[in-house]
Amino acid sequence: MPLLAVKALGCRRAGGASVKGVSFEVDAGEVFALMGPSGSGKTTVLRTIVGFEEASEGQVLLENRDVSEMAVTELRRNVAFVAQEPVMLDGTVADNVSYTFELRGERPAEGQVESLLARAGLPAEFATRPAEELSSGERQRVAIARALANRPKVLLLDEPTSALDPETAERVLEGIRQLAKEDGIAVVLVTHKPQEASRIAQRGLALDSGRVAAAGDLTSLAASDEPFLRRFFAEDAGGDREGESNE
Amino acid sequence: MSKVLVEIDWTGLALAGGCVAATLVIALIERLRMGREVAIGGIRAFAQLMLAGYAVGWLLGRDYWWANLLAVAVMILVATLVVLGRLRRGAFPGMASAVLLSVCAGALPVLAYAMIAVVRPRPLHAARYLIPIGSMVISRAMNSTVLVMDRLVSDLRRQRGRVEAALALGASARRAAEPFVRAAYRAGMLPTINTLYAVGLVHLPGMMTGQIIGGVEAWQAAKYQIVIMYLLLASAVLCAFAATRAVVASLLAGHRLHV
């Protein structure tokens, strides 16, 4: 049984890319790549899964349970969504991570904030830094740390490396791979760079104008003769495109 | 203190109109392009106040309970329309009912409390008290609703990322909007709180000066003014309470931001 199953999901989104008939499944501990060029609807799929957009059709199942029957707050604690440009809350990095605990009426135990930061790839010294002063890459990791404080089963990451230099991006990807492997989290990685996806995911799907263009093993997708896939993989190999924002 | 009221005759009124004319002349000389607004404003104020004077006079003369309550209902309706006009650019789903609810929440409980518990006129619906106190409370509810809703709606729209970051972590709609709700409360209540600090020192407010000119003892006028200030404070906070809840319920229905 897959941890997350998305079945024929559709969303008509005013002011953003609409999607139709999107289906995929992700197992515990797996990184699944949701790929596509800018404006293809990748972000819309993630936003619809966590209920930021209303699904016009289809179903999302978490451990075989229809998420529309769950309380939205429960859904979002189990399925964490980290936006492409995460917004920091007021205060320090520790305040940001503690906020997740506060929402559940709890307080972090001694050293728990630092341990979450470490899992997101940040040293303990970051805890006392003002969150507003962080770089894009650091914000991404703080956003992952505060999402992990909910002990989510699924992590939806929207272009987590889009604002990072190649070296930092590599470290973040490795961190994501470890989170999936060691904590058994199902990760959906949205990216417009198939080469990057191939480094940590085996399976994925490519979206084109809101529809699934191809899905399956990433190696076979890369080798496909299908014109859209050839163009998509060739563009990534030829140089980075601009990151997708608020599709 | 003399109890004889110096009445304003038509000549006096016409001479006061000279102030509007003087404003118009300066607006023309300075090319302010405000002549039209000044002229229309002056005429509207004249017409509206003459009409109000006539209507209140009619109400005072008869004191029918239904007519007095109808007058309050009309004031609430007009206040609601004024708020809707001012918030037009920031419209949100269900705005009309949210505004009506907010104005009523800010005005009706406070007005009822004032009449039943504080002033206690006989009869309770006496127009001499119900209409002036009602107009002040409804007017405050109107202004507070504009300030609170305008601030909260624009903050939620501008800070979409911040709101969604909290929602994504499992925050309820109310919790995600909390910092902006607090700011909206402040926006709605600060003018009233500032008046509490300055009243009597910087200016004597309209009701007190009106009563003094009308021949009421100054200390009695001061007591009335204190009552009014406290009522207006309660009106502002009740308005903010209802307005913030209505906006959050509409813009964050289903724990999702609808902007």
Side-chain angles (χ1 to χ4, degrees):
Chain A
M1 180 184 72
L3 192 55
L4 178 75
V6 174
K7 296 188 171 179
L9 192 69
C11 172
R12 280 189 287 273
R13 190 175 162 200
S18 296
V19 294
K20 193 171 168 60
V22 176
S23 299
F24 62 91
E25 293 179 346
V26 193
D27 292 322
E30 181 187 11
V31 179
F32 184 87
L34 187 55
M35 306 174 295
S38 191
S40 58
K42 308 183 294 292
T43 300
T44 302
V45 172
L46 297 194
R47 289 177 61 84
T48 310
I49 291 173
V50 291
F52 280 164
E53 307 296 335
E54 194 172 2
S56 52
E57 59 190 40
Q59 221 182 2
V60 176
L61 302 176
L62 178 68
E63 293 179 317
N64 224 18
R65 192 172 151 211
D66 192 331
V67 301
S68 64
E69 290 160 12
M70 294 167 74
V72 181
T73 46
E74 185 197 347
L75 163 68
R76 290 178 186 155
R77 280 172 193 162
N78 282 298
V79 181
F81 170 57
V82 178
Q84 184 177 358
E85 287 168 17
V87 175
M88 294 291 102
L89 310 174
D90 297 337
T92 62
V93 167
D95 292 333
N96 268 263
V97 180
S98 302
Y99 181 74
T100 311
F101 289 90
E102 283 168 31
L103 290 176
R104 298 198 306 264
E106 298 169 14
R107 294 178 68 166
E110 183 77 31
Q112 205 170 0
V113 168
E114 289 75 11
S115 138
L116 286 164
L117 290 176
R119 284 172 63 198
L122 286 172
E125 305 87 80
F126 268 74
T128 53
R129 285 185 56 179
E132 277 303 317
E133 291 175 7
L134 302 179
S135 69
S136 301
E138 291 161 350
R139 283 172 188 231
Q140 269 287 349
R141 281 174 278 177
V142 171
I144 292 174
R146 71 185 180 196
L148 289 176
N150 271 329
R151 293 184 291 277
K153 293 171 178 152
V154 179
L155 194 53
L156 309 178
L157 300 171
D158 192 2
E159 303 269 8
T161 61
S162 63
L164 308 183
D165 59 79
E167 202 177 306
T168 317
E170 193 60 50
R171 276 210 306 276
V172 168
L173 288 175
E174 178 53 27
I176 293 166
R177 198 185 59 78
Q178 274 181 9
L179 278 175
K181 197 175 156 193
E182 291 168 15
D183 299 11
I185 298 175
V187 177
V188 179
L189 174 76
V190 155
T191 180
H192 64 279
K193 302 174 191 167
Q195 314 287 348
E196 175 184 285
S198 308
R199 287 212 278 282
I200 58 166
Q202 250 100 58
R203 294 190 313 121
L205 69 75
L207 282 176
D208 181 21
S209 307
R211 309 285 182 122
V212 177
D217 187 76
L218 292 186
T219 322
S220 46
L221 292 186
S224 166
D225 281 339
E226 204 276 325
F228 167 75
L229 287 176
R230 284 184 63 182
R231 202 170 55 244
F232 180 51
F233 277 82
E235 275 175 10
D236 185 33
D240 279 355
R241 292 160 56 109
E242 262 186 41
E244 175 174 24
S245 68
N246 195 31
E247 278 188 356
Chain B
M1 178 185 278
S2 163
K3 296 242 175 189
V4 181
L5 174 66
V6 179
E7 290 193 0
I8 291 183
D9 56 15
W10 288 106
T11 314
L13 197 58
L15 289 171
C19 296
V20 179
T23 310
L24 271 175
V25 170
I26 292 173
L28 282 174
I29 292 170
E30 295 288 307
R31 296 179 191 170
L32 300 180
R33 294 181 185 167
M34 286 169 63
R36 195 181 144 84
E37 282 116 301
V38 172
I40 292 176
I43 294 165
R44 272 191 67 155
F46 178 85
Q48 287 166 199
L49 286 172
M50 290 306 285
L51 197 66
Y54 177 79
V56 174
W58 189 89
L59 291 168
L60 285 174
R62 287 156 187 81
D63 239 355
Y64 299 136
W65 66 267
W66 57 266
N68 296 354
L69 293 185
L70 186 65
V72 170
V74 169
M75 285 193 280
I76 285 180
L77 192 66
V78 173
T80 302
L81 294 174
V82 169
V83 176
L84 288 174
R86 288 208 233 158
L87 293 176
R88 207 169 34 222
R89 271 182 291 178
F92 57 90
M95 187 167 85
S97 49
V99 168
L100 180 62
L101 174 81
S102 172
V103 172
C104 286
L108 294 182
V110 175
L111 184 55
Y113 182 70
M115 299 303 285
I116 295 166
V118 182
V119 184
R120 300 188 299 269
R122 287 285 171 265
L124 269 182
H125 63 263
R128 180 173 297 281
Y129 301 93
L130 184 72
I131 302 303
I133 295 175
S135 82
M136 283 186 277
V137 169
I138 293 166
S139 156
R140 182 55 48 101
M142 177 179 83
N143 289 327
S144 293
T145 302
V146 171
L147 293 171
V148 170
M149 286 194 175
D150 188 42
R151 178 66 185 260
L152 186 54
V153 170
S154 68
D155 271 1
L156 290 176
R157 288 193 167 132
R158 269 190 309 113
Q159 304 275 1
R160 185 189 176 119
R162 166 73 175 72
V163 176
E164 287 195 341
L167 289 173
L169 294 171
S172 64
R174 178 82 193 164
R175 188 72 197 262
E178 204 171 48
F180 312 113
V181 165
R182 213 178 292 133
Y185 260 92
R186 283 186 72 79
M189 294 186 62
L190 266 186
T192 310
I193 293 172
N194 287 342
T195 315
L196 291 178
Y197 278 77
V199 73
L201 300 175
V202 180
H203 78 292
L204 297 179
M207 183 173 195
M208 188 169 170
T209 48
Q211 284 192 317
I212 291 170
I213 290 172
V216 173
E217 293 292 342
W219 66 270
Q220 189 58 248
K223 279 203 284 187
Y224 256 96
Q225 192 58 53
I226 292 167
V227 165
I228 293 299
M229 302 302 295
Y230 290 172
L231 294 177
L232 296 186
L233 182 67
S235 175
V237 77
L238 287 175
C239 237
F241 181 86
T244 52
R245 271 165 176 73
V247 170
V248 169
S250 170
L251 287 186
L252 281 155
H255 306 281
R256 169 191 305 154
L257 196 52
H258 302 263
V259 293

